[in-house]
Amino acid sequence: MIIRLVIALLVTTFGVALPKEETHNDRVFNRELSDKEHFENEHHNPEYDHEAFLGEEAKTFDQLPPEESKRRLGIIFDKIDTNNDSIISREELKDWIRFTQKRYISEDVDRQWRQQNPENNPTISWENYQKLVYGFLENMDPAESEKDNEGFSYRNMLKRDRRRWASADRDGDDNLTKEEFAGFLHPEETDYMRGMVIVETMEDIDKDKDGKISLQEYIGDMYRGDEPEEEPDWVKSEKEQFSTYRDKDGDGFMDEEEVKNWILPEDFDHAEAEARHLIYEADSDADEQLTKDEVLKKYDLFVGSQATDFGEALARHDEF
Ligand SMILES: *[C@@H]1O[C@H](CO)[C@@H](O)[C@H](O)[C@H]1NC(C)=O
Ligand SMILES: *[C@@H]1O[C@H](CO)[C@@H](O)[C@H](O)[C@H]1NC(C)=O
C-alpha cells in the first residue's frame, strides 16, 4: 500500500482544485487517489499502473484506440528491453519505471520553473511566487479565503507553502534555486524535505490535533462514507492494515515515527514492487519475465485504452 502512495505522489499533479495556478500537489488528495482507487475489490487500479509505467504520457494513451495503443506499446517494449534479447526482465522493467518517475519529476519541475520564472533567473523569490500563485487572495473577501474546504482554506495553503518554502530554502536567502524549488515541489523525493512531508501528513490527518493519528482519523482521511452506505471491502482491509502494520506498538495510534514508516519507508523500493506486480499480472507462462506477446496481450494493464478509460479521460479534461 505504501508503494502506491509514494508512486501516486510522484505521478499525480492533478486533482488539486484549490490553488489557482497548478502548483504543487497536496498530499491528502493524492493519498486518497492512491489508497482508495488502487485497492478497490483487490483489483489493481489500471490508472495507477498506467502512470507508473508511462508517467505523463498515460493521459495521451487514455485517448488512443486499442490498436494504436498496442502499436505504441510495442515500441515501448523495445525501449525497455535494453539488452535486445526480446525479453523484459524484472531489472529492465524496474529501470524503466524508475526512469519514468524521474522523467516525470524533472519535467514537472521544468514546467513549473518556466511558469514561475519565465526569464529563467537563477532563483525565484518567495515574494514573486506568492504573487503569482496566491496573488488572487488580495482581492478576495477574507471570509472566503479563510473558508474551510474539508480542512483546507486558501489562507492555510498559503501558510503551508510558506513553511515548506522556508524548509526547501537551504541557504536561507528566501529565494529558491531550481534544485531547492524541486525540493519544494516534490518534498517526498528530496532527503532534506522528508521531515516536512511527515509534518504535513500528520497535520492533514490528525484532525483533533493531539499529535497522533487514530484509526478513525486514518480512515476518515481516505473514506467519507455516508452512514447508510455499507462499508466497502477496501475500507475494512485498510482498518486491518492500520492495526497490523501501521500502528506498530499497538497503542491504537500512529505517532510520527509510525507515520514515517508508513509513507516514507526506508527499505522499500517502489519501482521494484511495481515491476514485480506488473510481471506477476502479465506473465502467462510464469517464467518471471515478459515477452512482447505477453505484454501486448495484457496491454490494458500497461497502457489502457479508449474502451476502458475514455470516460475518465473526458472527466480529466474538464478538470484542467
Ligand atoms: C539494442 O538496440 C538498440 C536499437 O537498435 C541499440 O541502440 C542498442 O545499442 C542495442 N543495445 C545492445 C546492448 O545491443
Ligand atoms: C531574490 O530574487 C529576487 C527576484 O528575482 C532578486 O531581485 C534578488 O536579487 C534575489 N536575491 C538573492 C539573494 O538571490
Side-chain angles (χ1 to χ4, degrees):
M1 313 233 164
I2 296 152
I3 335 146
R4 289 137 189 170
L5 166 80
V6 177
I7 289 195
L9 281 169
L10 305 183
V11 297
T12 327
T13 34
F14 25 81
V16 186
L18 274 176
K20 208 174 167 204
E21 304 269 325
E22 187 196 334
T23 53
H24 58 274
N25 42 18
D26 203 288
R27 308 192 49 89
V28 161
F29 296 93
N30 290 317
R31 189 184 310 106
E32 220 165 75
L33 195 137
S34 61
D35 274 353
K36 183 164 93 190
E37 301 192 9
H38 205 201
F39 301 121
E40 243 157 348
N41 312 324
E42 317 245 304
H43 286 300
H44 49 262
N45 170 9
E47 196 185 327
Y48 169 85
D49 290 322
H50 300 167
E51 288 180 346
F53 188 72
L54 296 167
E56 276 286 285
E57 254 187 277
K59 278 183 263 172
T60 318
F61 269 86
D62 274 353
Q63 295 163 68
L64 296 175
E67 284 318 309
E68 179 60 13
S69 267
K70 282 187 195 169
R71 192 185 69 80
R72 296 198 193 183
L73 179 57
I75 297 171
I76 292 175
F77 182 96
D78 295 335
K79 274 198 220 169
I80 300 175
D81 177 24
T82 45
N83 68 359
N84 302 337
D85 67 351
S86 302
I87 282 170
I88 292 185
S89 65
R90 189 164 78 218
E91 202 59 25
E92 285 171 332
L93 189 51
K94 182 182 80 184
D95 288 346
W96 170 260
I97 290 167
R98 205 166 273 157
F99 162 78
T100 303
Q101 289 169 347
K102 285 217 173 94
R103 183 183 57 187
Y104 166 75
I105 291 190
S106 72
E107 284 175 357
D108 183 55
V109 171
D110 284 348
R111 185 174 50 81
Q112 300 208 44
W113 180 260
R114 278 195 306 273
Q115 244 171 37
Q116 303 293 330
N117 181 10
E119 290 164 17
N120 197 22
N121 294 320
T123 61
I124 302 178
S125 68
W126 166 255
E127 211 186 324
N128 283 347
Y129 176 82
Q130 185 188 355
K131 240 184 255 159
L132 266 169
V133 177
Y134 292 100
F136 69 98
L137 282 181
E138 278 173 32
N139 303 316
M140 193 184 251
D141 177 353
E144 186 66 22
S145 69
E146 309 273 353
K147 198 165 102 191
D148 197 275
N149 181 340
E150 310 210 342
F152 287 86
S153 68
Y154 291 120
R155 282 284 159 210
N156 278 339
M157 294 194 77
L158 171 60
K159 263 194 234 159
R160 173 184 283 221
D161 265 9
R162 184 67 183 110
R163 185 180 61 188
R164 197 195 277 187
W165 187 277
S167 163
D169 176 25
R170 297 187 99 179
D171 57 10
D173 64 357
D174 216 20
N175 285 15
L176 299 190
T177 62
K178 197 168 177 185
E179 277 71 41
E180 291 170 338
F181 191 57
F184 173 75
L185 295 176
H186 295 282
E188 73 288 345
E189 283 298 289
T190 313
D191 279 343
Y192 72 91
M193 293 296 288
R194 292 188 174 204
M196 189 49 52
V197 173
I198 310 295
V199 168
E200 291 180 5
T201 304
M202 291 288 283
E203 281 177 358
D204 288 345
I205 308 180
D206 176 21
K207 298 291 183 213
D208 67 5
K209 305 292 166 213
D210 64 354
K212 49 194 186 175
I213 294 174
S214 65
L215 174 63
Q216 200 186 2
E217 286 167 338
Y218 176 79
I219 295 298
D221 182 58
M222 30 188 146
Y223 176 64
R224 296 184 190 91
D226 295 325
E227 280 304 325
E229 195 182 304
E230 211 207 316
E231 191 175 86
D233 284 345
W234 70 264
V235 172
K236 288 187 192 121
S237 101
E238 275 298 337
K239 285 183 173 169
E240 280 166 32
Q241 289 285 325
F242 183 91
S243 358
T244 318
Y245 300 110
R246 313 274 183 257
D247 171 22
K248 291 199 186 304
D249 62 7
D251 68 350
F253 297 93
M254 272 161 85
D255 59 22
E256 232 172 83
E257 194 55 33
E258 288 164 340
V259 168
K260 185 168 156 232
N261 284 329
W262 167 40
I263 58 172
L264 299 172
E266 259 162 33
D267 53 357
F268 200 85
D269 181 341
H270 44 77
E272 164 95 29
E274 179 65 7
R276 272 176 201 276
H277 164 66
L278 288 173
I279 289 182
Y280 176 80
E281 296 289 340
D283 183 15
S284 332
D285 62 0
D287 64 351
E288 303 200 0
Q289 48 189 13
L290 299 178
T291 61
K292 191 181 271 189
D293 231 37
E294 286 173 328
V295 168
L296 292 184
K297 248 191 252 153
K298 285 277 190 164
Y299 81 103
D300 263 1
L301 170 67
F302 294 92
V303 297
S305 72
Q306 195 171 31
T308 56
D309 286 329
F310 194 52
E312 181 138 346
L314 287 176
R316 280 185 182 189
H317 275 273
D318 285 347
E319 266 172 46
F320 291 157

